[in-house]
Amino acid sequence: MALNGFLEFFQREKTFRPKKRFTQGTIRYSLHKQANASLQSGINLKEVVKLPAGENMNDWLAVHVVDFFNRINLIYGTISEYCNETTCPTMSGGAKYEYLWADGETYKKPVQLPAPRYVELLMDWVENQINNETLFPVSTDVPFPKSFPSLCKKILTRLFRVFVHVYIHHFDRIFSIGAEAHVNTCFKHFYYFVTEFDLMSAKELEPLAVMTAQMCKD
């Protein structure tokens, strides 16, 4: 299904928070529209993620980080009522993987949290980063900070953990509402993007490695 259908489908479900949008007339808005048009055209996802000729890598990163944040919010929103402190007392991906939360401010040391609280803090943290115009400048007159690529790596690594939790603990819900194809498309797009630009380590990708090998073998 085209990307518009993908987003409309999830917007009919319970959404997690308002979406971050790009300002019309900006370079990033144009890149966002260009990326979406490529997805809707059915072009191979491996090709869709490649940096367009002549474009700035940081702009391309910013567009995708915001888009993935929006889509993963929508995906989590469809299962959030099934993800609570009783069903998911830890932020885990099966018995082998557990994620502890630390933000260097309120939580200075890694702490174990129920999955819904972990995801809430994660999404709040990402939202704060992308709404900070010092970190994610809106105007082309304002340069990206030197730390921008490493910040994007951190954001994407944390967003991936939501995929891990959803796939391993809540995929039955995704399947029951007929959304598996949409979630899989979003995951493949995310996976091809982070691997195209080496934005995540093999260790972080490991929890879904077996599934990824099957899903992304084309």
Side-chain angles (χ1 to χ4, degrees):
M1 181 177 285
L3 182 64
N4 282 346
F6 170 87
L7 293 177
E8 287 169 6
F9 175 87
F10 283 113
Q11 285 162 350
R12 289 198 299 270
E13 297 289 325
K14 178 182 175 184
T15 55
F16 194 62
R17 66 186 63 232
K19 294 200 301 175
K20 167 78 173 180
R21 299 183 184 277
F22 298 100
T23 304
Q24 284 190 333
T26 64
I27 290 174
R28 255 151 270 159
Y29 180 82
S30 298
L31 285 173
H32 166 70
K33 288 297 183 183
Q34 179 180 340
N36 282 355
S38 295
L39 281 172
Q40 291 170 33
S41 70
I43 294 174
N44 185 296
L45 287 172
K46 282 185 178 179
E47 296 301 315
V48 166
V49 300
K50 294 184 184 300
L51 179 66
E55 297 297 348
N56 179 278
M57 181 61 204
N58 282 337
D59 283 322
W60 195 235
L61 262 178
V63 164
H64 283 80
V65 166
V66 172
D67 277 352
F68 289 134
F69 168 69
N70 288 336
R71 292 173 201 165
I72 293 169
N73 266 329
L74 291 170
I75 290 170
Y76 185 76
T78 67
I79 62 91
S80 60
E81 63 185 293
Y82 299 91
C83 183
N84 55 59
E85 293 188 9
T86 301
T87 62
C88 305
T90 62
M91 180 61 178
S92 59
K96 189 176 178 182
Y97 301 97
E98 180 181 347
Y99 300 114
L100 304 180
W101 178 255
D103 56 18
E105 296 177 3
T106 306
Y107 296 87
K108 295 185 184 298
K109 295 182 178 180
V111 61
Q112 183 185 78
L113 293 171
R117 180 59 177 158
Y118 184 104
V119 175
E120 180 184 16
L121 289 171
L122 187 161
M123 295 302 184
D124 283 345
W125 176 80
V126 175
E127 192 168 36
N128 287 336
Q129 308 306 303
I130 64 179
N131 285 333
N132 184 335
E133 294 185 11
T134 302
L135 301 175
F136 274 72
V138 174
S139 170
T140 53
D141 297 332
V142 180
F144 284 95
K146 290 182 179 179
S147 61
F148 186 71
S150 61
L151 173 61
C152 288
K153 287 182 179 181
K154 189 171 186 178
I155 291 172
L156 292 168
T157 295
R158 287 183 166 182
L159 287 174
F160 179 79
R161 295 171 184 176
V162 181
F163 273 128
V164 172
H165 186 72
V166 168
Y167 268 113
I168 294 177
H169 295 281
H170 299 290
F171 198 71
D172 55 340
R173 165 62 180 167
I174 297 295
F175 186 82
S176 72
I177 60 175
E180 67 274 14
H182 310 288
V183 175
N184 289 346
T185 296
C186 183
F187 175 78
K188 288 175 72 173
H189 185 205
F190 181 98
Y191 175 79
Y192 285 135
F193 185 78
V194 298
T195 53
E196 170 73 15
F197 300 108
D198 195 23
L199 297 169
M200 284 184 60
S201 69
K203 181 179 179 181
E204 284 286 350
L205 291 167
E206 187 177 289
L208 297 179
V210 174
M211 182 193 81
T212 303
Q214 291 297 315
M215 189 186 298
C216 303
K217 60 185 177 182
D218 54 324

Coordinates of all heavy atoms in Angstrom, one line a residue, residues 7-38:
L7 N -0.2 5.8 6.4 CA -0.4 6.8 7.5 C -1.8 6.9 7.9 O -2.2 7.0 9.0 CB 0.2 8.1 7.1 CG 1.7 8.1 6.9 CD1 2.2 9.5 6.4 CD2 2.4 7.8 8.2
E8 N -2.7 6.9 6.9 CA -4.1 7.1 7.1 C -4.6 5.9 8.0 O -5.5 6.0 8.9 CB -4.9 7.1 5.8 CG -4.7 8.5 5.1 CD -5.3 8.4 3.7 OE1 -5.9 7.4 3.3 OE2 -5.1 9.4 3.0
F9 N -4.1 4.7 7.7 CA -4.5 3.5 8.4 C -4.2 3.7 9.9 O -5.1 3.4 10.7 CB -3.8 2.3 7.9 CG -4.0 1.0 8.7 CD1 -5.2 0.2 8.4 CD2 -3.2 0.6 9.7 CE1 -5.4 -0.9 9.1 CE2 -3.5 -0.5 10.4 CZ -4.6 -1.3 10.1
F10 N -3.0 4.1 10.2 CA -2.6 4.2 11.6 C -3.3 5.4 12.3 O -3.6 5.4 13.5 CB -1.1 4.3 11.8 CG -0.5 2.9 11.6 CD1 0.4 2.7 10.5 CD2 -0.7 1.9 12.5 CE1 0.9 1.4 10.4 CE2 -0.1 0.7 12.4 CZ 0.7 0.4 11.3
Q11 N -3.6 6.4 11.5 CA -4.2 7.6 12.1 C -5.7 7.3 12.5 O -6.3 8.0 13.3 CB -4.2 8.8 11.1 CG -2.8 9.4 11.1 CD -2.5 10.3 9.9 OE1 -3.3 10.3 9.0 NE2 -1.4 11.0 9.9
R12 N -6.3 6.3 11.9 CA -7.6 5.8 12.3 C -7.5 5.1 13.6 O -8.5 5.0 14.3 CB -8.2 4.9 11.2 CG -8.6 5.6 10.0 CD -9.6 4.7 9.2 NE -9.0 3.5 8.8 CZ -8.3 3.2 7.7 NH1 -8.2 4.2 6.8 NH2 -7.9 2.1 7.4
E13 N -6.3 4.6 14.0 CA -6.1 3.9 15.3 C -5.8 5.0 16.3 O -5.7 6.2 16.1 CB -5.0 2.9 15.1 CG -5.3 1.8 14.1 CD -6.4 0.8 14.6 OE1 -6.4 0.6 15.9 OE2 -7.2 0.3 13.8
K14 N -5.5 4.5 17.5 CA -5.1 5.4 18.6 C -3.7 5.9 18.4 O -2.8 5.1 18.4 CB -5.2 4.6 19.9 CG -4.8 5.4 21.1 CD -4.8 4.5 22.4 CE -4.3 5.3 23.6 NZ -4.3 4.4 24.8
T15 N -3.5 7.2 18.2 CA -2.2 7.8 18.0 C -1.6 8.1 19.4 O -2.3 8.3 20.3 CB -2.3 9.0 17.1 OG1 -3.2 10.0 17.7 CG2 -2.7 8.7 15.7
F16 N -0.3 8.2 19.4 CA 0.4 8.3 20.6 C 0.7 9.8 21.0 O 0.7 10.2 22.2 CB 1.8 7.6 20.5 CG 2.5 7.4 21.8 CD1 1.9 6.7 22.8 CD2 3.7 8.0 22.0 CE1 2.6 6.5 24.0 CE2 4.4 7.8 23.2 CZ 3.8 7.0 24.2
R17 N 0.8 10.7 20.0 CA 1.1 12.1 20.3 C 1.0 12.9 19.0 O 1.0 12.3 17.9 CB 2.4 12.3 20.9 CG 3.6 12.0 20.0 CD 4.9 12.1 20.7 NE 5.0 11.1 21.8 CZ 5.3 11.4 23.1 NH1 5.6 12.7 23.4 NH2 5.4 10.5 24.0
P18 N 0.9 14.2 19.0 CA 0.9 14.9 17.8 C 2.1 14.7 16.9 O 3.2 14.5 17.5 CB 0.8 16.4 18.2 CG 0.2 16.3 19.6 CD 0.8 15.0 20.2
K19 N 2.0 14.8 15.6 CA 3.1 14.6 14.7 C 3.9 15.8 14.5 O 3.4 16.9 14.5 CB 2.6 14.1 13.4 CG 1.9 12.7 13.4 CD 1.9 12.1 12.0 CE 1.2 13.0 11.0 NZ 1.3 12.5 9.7
K20 N 5.2 15.6 14.5 CA 6.1 16.7 14.1 C 6.0 16.9 12.6 O 6.1 15.9 11.8 CB 7.5 16.4 14.5 CG 8.6 17.2 13.9 CD 8.7 18.5 14.6 CE 10.0 19.3 14.1 NZ 10.1 20.6 14.8
R21 N 5.9 18.1 12.1 CA 5.8 18.4 10.7 C 6.9 19.3 10.2 O 7.5 20.1 11.0 CB 4.4 19.0 10.3 CG 3.2 18.1 10.7 CD 1.9 18.7 10.3 NE 0.8 17.9 10.7 CZ 0.3 16.8 10.0 NH1 0.9 16.5 8.9 NH2 -0.7 16.2 10.5
F22 N 7.1 19.3 8.9 CA 8.1 20.2 8.3 C 7.4 21.5 7.8 O 6.2 21.4 7.4 CB 8.9 19.5 7.2 CG 9.7 18.3 7.6 CD1 9.2 17.0 7.4 CD2 10.9 18.5 8.2 CE1 9.9 15.9 7.8 CE2 11.6 17.4 8.6 CZ 11.1 16.1 8.4
T23 N 8.1 22.6 7.8 CA 7.5 23.8 7.3 C 7.6 23.9 5.8 O 8.6 23.7 5.2 CB 8.3 25.0 7.9 OG1 8.3 24.9 9.4 CG2 7.6 26.4 7.5
Q24 N 6.4 24.2 5.2 CA 6.4 24.4 3.8 C 7.3 25.4 3.3 O 7.5 26.4 3.9 CB 4.9 24.7 3.3 CG 4.0 23.5 3.3 CD 2.7 23.9 2.7 OE1 2.3 25.0 2.6 NE2 2.0 22.9 2.1
G25 N 8.0 25.1 2.1 CA 8.9 26.1 1.5 C 10.3 25.9 2.0 O 11.2 26.6 1.5
T26 N 10.6 25.0 2.9 CA 11.9 24.7 3.4 C 12.5 23.6 2.6 O 11.8 22.8 2.0 CB 12.0 24.4 4.9 OG1 11.3 23.2 5.1 CG2 11.3 25.5 5.7
I27 N 13.9 23.5 2.6 CA 14.6 22.4 2.0 C 14.1 21.0 2.5 O 13.9 20.1 1.8 CB 16.1 22.6 2.1 CG1 16.6 23.7 1.3 CG2 16.8 21.3 1.7 CD1 18.0 24.1 1.5
R28 N 14.0 21.0 3.8 CA 13.6 19.7 4.5 C 12.2 19.3 4.1 O 11.9 18.1 3.9 CB 13.8 19.8 6.0 CG 15.0 19.1 6.5 CD 15.6 19.7 7.7 NE 16.6 20.7 7.4 CZ 17.0 21.6 8.2 NH1 16.5 21.7 9.4 NH2 17.9 22.5 7.8
Y29 N 11.3 20.3 3.9 CA 10.0 19.9 3.5 C 10.0 19.3 2.1 O 9.3 18.3 1.8 CB 9.1 21.2 3.5 CG 7.6 20.9 3.0 CD1 6.7 20.4 3.9 CD2 7.3 21.2 1.7 CE1 5.4 20.2 3.5 CE2 6.0 21.0 1.3 CZ 5.0 20.5 2.2 OH 3.7 20.2 1.8
S30 N 10.8 19.9 1.2 CA 11.0 19.4 -0.1 C 11.5 18.0 -0.1 O 11.1 17.1 -0.9 CB 11.9 20.3 -1.0 OG 11.3 21.6 -1.1
L31 N 12.5 17.7 0.7 CA 13.1 16.4 0.8 C 12.1 15.4 1.4 O 12.1 14.3 0.9 CB 14.4 16.4 1.7 CG 15.6 17.1 1.1 CD1 16.7 17.2 2.1 CD2 16.1 16.2 -0.1
H32 N 11.4 15.9 2.3 CA 10.3 15.0 2.9 C 9.3 14.6 1.8 O 9.0 13.4 1.7 CB 9.6 15.8 4.0 CG 8.3 15.2 4.5 ND1 8.3 14.0 5.2 CD2 7.0 15.6 4.3 CE1 7.0 13.8 5.5 NE2 6.2 14.7 5.0
K33 N 8.9 15.5 1.0 CA 7.9 15.2 -0.1 C 8.6 14.3 -1.1 O 7.9 13.4 -1.6 CB 7.4 16.5 -0.7 CG 6.5 17.3 0.1 CD 5.2 16.5 0.4 CE 4.2 17.3 1.2 NZ 3.0 16.5 1.5
Q34 N 9.8 14.6 -1.4 CA 10.5 13.8 -2.4 C 10.7 12.3 -1.9 O 10.4 11.4 -2.7 CB 11.9 14.4 -2.6 CG 12.8 13.6 -3.6 CD 14.2 14.2 -3.8 OE1 14.4 15.4 -3.5 NE2 15.1 13.4 -4.3
A35 N 11.0 12.2 -0.6 CA 11.2 10.8 -0.1 C 9.8 10.1 -0.1 O 9.7 8.9 -0.4 CB 11.7 10.9 1.4
N36 N 8.7 10.8 0.3 CA 7.4 10.2 0.3 C 7.0 9.8 -1.0 O 6.4 8.7 -1.2 CB 6.4 11.1 1.0 CG 6.5 11.1 2.5 OD1 7.3 10.3 3.1 ND2 5.8 12.0 3.2
A37 N 7.2 10.6 -2.0 CA 6.8 10.3 -3.4 C 7.6 9.1 -3.9 O 7.0 8.3 -4.6 CB 7.2 11.5 -4.3
S38 N 8.8 8.9 -3.5 CA 9.6 7.7 -3.9 C 9.0 6.5 -3.3 O 8.9 5.4 -3.9 CB 11.1 7.9 -3.5 OG 11.7 8.9 -4.2

